[in-house]
Amino acid sequence: MSARGMLSVVGTAVGGLIGWPADQPPPADPAALRDLFGDLGVAVGPAERDLTAAVQSFQARSGLAEDGVAGPRTVHRLVRSAAQARDLRRFRAA
């Protein structure tokens, strides 16, 4: 993940934590989102609709509004879930 992509994801996730207004979140970088989905074992195709579908599916499983937009709350939960998946893989490998 590029540094720019990570900053975009971090900014969006922090916005979710601090209650960033839903109409003004910083955009999440599509490449960074695909990397996070990869950490969850989810392959996302190259088209924008593929990413939207992955976001909607994640939102449905996470109890979020299924709008397909990677806003602050969605990104915050996605970052947490990806971190937990990485930790679980490290634990299993140890």
Side-chain angles (χ1 to χ4, degrees):
M1 180 180 311
S2 71
R4 180 174 172 236
M6 180 54 81
L7 288 176
S8 177
V9 168
V10 169
T12 304
V14 169
L17 286 174
I18 63 174
W20 199 300
D23 60 344
Q24 300 175 352
D29 179 61
L33 291 172
R34 283 182 172 85
D35 287 345
L36 291 169
F37 278 115
D39 288 340
L40 295 175
V42 176
V44 179
E48 184 177 335
R49 71 182 183 287
D50 299 329
L51 185 56
T52 299
V55 170
Q56 283 177 319
S57 178
F58 178 78
Q59 289 169 329
R61 288 190 314 270
S62 299
L64 297 166
E66 298 173 40
D67 60 6
V69 176
R73 287 178 182 83
T74 299
V75 171
H76 174 71
R77 289 210 186 155
L78 182 57
V79 167
R80 282 184 23 201
S81 296
Q84 289 171 348
R86 287 189 303 269
D87 289 345
L88 184 57
R89 279 196 302 279
R90 279 188 225 125
F91 176 74
R92 287 180 179 163

